[in-house]
Structure formats: C-alpha cells, structure tokens
Amino acid sequence: MKFGIQVNEGPYQHQAADSAYNFAKAAIDAGHEIFRIFFYHDGVNNGTRLTTPPQDDRNIVKRWSELAADHNVDLVICVAAAQRRGICDADESKRNGKDADNLAEGFRISGLGQLIEAGIESDRLLVFGD
Amino acid sequence: MSEEDYEEDGEMNGKKFLYVNRRGPYGTVYALESLEVVLIGAAFEQDVSLAFMDDGVYQLKKGQNTDGMGMKNFSPTYRALEMYDVEKLFVSKESMDERGLTTEDLIVDVEVIDNAAMADLMEDAEVVLSF
Amino acid sequence: MLLHTVNKSPFERNSFAQCMGHAKKGSSVLLIEDGVFAALKGAANESVVSNAIGDIGVYVLGPDLNARGMTDEDVIDGVKIVDYTGFVELAAEHDVVQSWL
C-alpha cells in the first residue's frame, strides 16, 4: 500500500515529526511504500541541515535524510512555507538574493501541488500536526 | 449535483478531498496556509469540500479588519473560491450555535450542517486534510 | 470506514470530544501523543470511551502511553493497545485517516 504523509510541525517543539517518522519507518518495515512526505507550516523546519541537537538526543533532520537515502523516500518541503521561514536550497537562495542555503540532504523544495498529488496518488494520506 | 452523481462519475471528478478547518484566523498560520492549499489544489480538478468547525467558523466571519495589527486580511479570498470552482463550503451548526453566530455573520454562502451530516461528509471523503 | 486519530489531551482541547461526536459506528479511533490521556481509567471522560466501545474500535498507541508513565493496566477496559506497526495496520485497514489535531 502507498502512504502519503503530511508533517505540519517543526522538530523538537512538537511530537508530530517523531510520530510521522515512526509511522513511516513502521510502514516501510511492513513492506509498504511511502509515496511522499510533505512538510508544511513549521514542518519545513525539519529540513534544515544546520540543526545541531545535543549528542544524547535524536537527530530528527538526519533521521529524515537517512530515511530518504535508505528507502528512496521523497521528502518535499513546501516552497511557500519554506520561504516564509528561511529554509532554502542553493537555487532558491540565489533566486532570492540570499547569502546562504540550508536544505538538508535528501529533501527537495517544491510547491503545494506536491501535497495534492500525494493525496491523489497515495492510498492513504496521514496528517501529523498540532 | 447530488452525491450519487459524484459517485457515478467519480473518475471524472477525481478524488473527494475534504479540508477540515478547526482553527480561527491570525492566532496561528493554519487558516491562511490551509486556504493556500485549497487554491493550489483547485487546479487539480478534484472534488473539493471545505468544512469549518470549532473556531474554524471564525475564518469566515464578516468584517475582519487587520489594520491595527499588521497582518494581511485574507478573508476576501474565501469569496474568490467560487471562481476556482470550490463551491462546497460546510459549516458546523453546533459550532455556529456555540459561538452565537448565524450565516448572516459570514462572508460567503455556506451550507450549515449538524454533527450527523458532518460525520457523513467525513465518511464520504477519500482524502481528509486537517488544519 | 474512517480511522480517526486524536493527538490532543481531552483536558486541553475539544479534539477528542469532537472526534467521538463524529465517529460513526464501525469506525475506529486511535489515541496518540497527548491523546493517550483520553484512554485512562478514572479520568473524567472514561464513560465516553466505555460507552463507545462496541460501536467504535478504540485504540491507544502503546509507545506514547508508556512514555508518559502509563502501562496497559491504566487503560480503560476494551481499549486496545497497538504499537507503530499496529498503527500502520489500522491505517491500511480503514479507507481514510482523519487527524483530529
């Protein structure tokens, strides 16, 4: 079965990102496919590679990147929400005249249409948020 | 068009998307960013319904004026939804009653439905996006 | 049928109450995150849960329950405890998942 997942909250502040990750991991382990994980609202903060949690805490961003690398999961950051919150890749940074970029490995930035498409293409869409 | 019609040519109308809005505007970003999804989603020609319940009904309140607090008043956008063929707006009767609101207080035409009808609407959906 | 998920404490928000008010016979409710507080014996909403069981499947996410210092014994009779694998199974078994945030 194909699952789509929407994550609405940033890492560490709210459990949503952890719940979404644990669900995705369990789904993959059970042989299901994750069609896409779409990060919206403050959820876009899951995609900054500048995060530096204490060593004894989980690294939420790295965990996502590893999920993408190991299982080819499509991690999409909403461009509109990301621009508001200062998450950008090299292209976005250049286009908007910024002096840095911070998108983590395995994530890509795209439009809200990707969320709608996830709703259409997935057998189930789950929303994790506050 | 009745629900039966939608079921008969479900392919043509795409999936039944239901957006559930339960938050007031401005206090958090959910109302605004939910509306942005609806507008983008309209291009995909799916069968879209919007539900407003709890404080979500305040999103549709007439007379919003944000001049004094520096945020953009996005309530006129609800009136534009019709142009995007988003025409099925449902409002919870119980939530309206609790807040002393009537349809006269709202910026757009809506269908007021009770909890039972809202539950049916939810069961009928194929994708539920909660904000 | 729907799988409803609730992630809010019933003492903080009305998400649980609204969920129970909209969950139709045959649907299921899964309590996650702070939503697990609705699954506990002796809490104010216990009768709401007890009365619904039978018409509605009520589940609680074990890892979130345990994290908050509760065990299986604290859970209202008839509420089923699942892990994340069980969460995935519930999502797959139901047609649609609705999150009550």
Side-chain angles (χ1 to χ4, degrees):
Chain A
M1 181 165 281
K2 266 191 279 188
F3 288 103
I5 293 174
Q6 180 183 342
V7 180
N8 289 345
E9 299 302 323
Y12 305 105
Q13 174 79 16
H14 191 283
Q15 201 185 336
D18 293 281
S19 298
Y21 174 80
N22 288 324
F23 181 91
K25 195 80 178 32
I28 290 166
D29 290 345
H32 297 295
E33 180 192 338
I34 303 295
F35 175 77
R36 177 171 296 148
I37 304 180
F38 190 85
F39 297 87
Y40 197 38
H41 306 301
D42 275 359
V44 299
N45 292 311
N46 280 274
T48 170
R49 67 163 183 263
L50 300 182
T51 182
T52 317
Q55 290 213 332
D56 60 352
D57 199 355
R58 71 231 187 274
N59 189 326
I60 294 179
V61 176
K62 193 164 162 242
R63 223 165 48 175
W64 288 125
S65 295
E66 285 168 359
L67 195 73
D70 297 345
H71 303 285
N72 204 25
V73 175
D74 190 20
L75 306 177
V76 178
I77 301 271
C78 170
V79 62
Q83 284 174 336
R84 284 192 178 115
R85 294 163 179 87
I87 305 292
C88 61
D89 59 14
D91 285 350
E92 275 291 310
S93 176
K94 203 174 161 195
R95 191 174 313 131
N96 296 302
K98 304 294 178 188
D99 61 3
D101 60 80
N102 58 351
L103 193 71
E105 198 74 31
F107 288 83
R108 62 188 180 92
I109 293 183
S110 190
L112 275 171
Q114 300 276 307
L115 172 61
I116 306 297
E117 192 190 42
I120 295 168
E121 296 297 328
S122 304
D123 299 305
R124 307 282 183 274
L125 184 79
L126 282 84
V127 181
F128 292 90
D130 188 15
Chain B
M1 192 183 267
S2 72
E3 282 180 357
E4 281 75 11
D5 291 326
Y6 278 103
E7 273 165 23
E8 272 166 25
D9 52 12
E11 267 310 297
M12 225 174 75
N13 289 297
K15 268 190 173 177
K16 290 179 191 168
F17 276 68
L18 175 65
Y19 294 84
V20 179
N21 298 285
R22 296 181 51 234
R23 299 272 174 74
Y26 311 114
T28 56
V29 77
Y30 302 106
L32 170 62
E33 288 189 336
S34 166
L35 193 54
E36 291 182 348
V37 179
V38 173
L39 294 175
I40 297 288
F44 286 75
E45 296 183 349
Q46 304 295 302
D47 177 1
V48 174
S49 298
L50 272 58
F52 297 87
M53 54 196 299
D54 297 310
D55 286 346
V57 300
Y58 287 127
Q59 292 180 24
L60 304 178
K61 176 75 178 60
K62 268 183 193 162
Q64 294 177 33
N65 180 347
T66 57
D67 291 350
M69 49 79 96
M71 286 165 78
K72 187 181 161 193
N73 175 7
F74 57 91
S75 62
T77 310
Y78 293 103
R79 279 202 299 244
L81 287 175
E82 211 175 356
M83 292 188 303
Y84 291 82
D85 292 324
V86 176
E87 290 167 331
K88 291 188 280 185
L89 276 59
F90 300 92
V91 164
S92 158
K93 181 183 185 304
E94 286 79 358
S95 298
M96 291 283 279
D97 290 350
E98 257 176 7
R99 288 160 182 78
L101 294 172
T102 70
T103 51
E104 292 291 298
D105 297 307
L106 305 184
I107 197 166
V108 279
D109 290 336
V110 297
E111 190 176 335
V112 180
I113 60 175
D114 64 10
N115 280 349
M118 188 67 84
D120 288 340
L121 184 68
M122 290 168 174
E123 276 295 345
D124 194 43
E126 291 175 289
V127 181
V128 181
L129 293 170
S130 313
F131 291 95
Chain C
M1 291 307 285
L2 272 175
L3 171 65
H4 301 266
T5 66
V6 180
N7 73 340
K8 290 294 173 305
S9 165
F11 302 106
E12 191 198 4
R13 301 251 192 104
N14 71 346
S15 304
F16 173 74
Q18 283 285 49
C19 170
M20 297 307 273
H22 289 84
K24 296 183 75 164
K25 196 171 175 174
S27 66
S28 299
V29 174
L30 170 64
L31 305 167
I32 69 169
E33 301 173 7
D34 289 350
V36 303
F37 298 135
L40 304 175
K41 275 181 199 158
N45 57 270
E46 179 170 359
S47 63
V48 177
V49 175
S50 303
N51 293 337
I53 289 169
D55 287 343
I56 297 166
V58 183
Y59 300 83
V60 62
L61 194 62
D64 286 354
L65 188 72
N66 298 154
R68 288 161 177 79
M70 321 289 178
T71 68
D72 303 12
E73 291 178 6
D74 299 309
V75 168
I76 298 163
D77 292 337
V79 174
K80 298 179 197 105
I81 298 163
V82 295
D83 57 10
Y84 278 100
T85 306
F87 185 175
V88 172
E89 283 166 8
L90 284 171
E93 284 163 11
H94 292 74
D95 302 317
V96 180
V97 183
Q98 170 164 356
S99 306
W100 292 87
L101 304 174

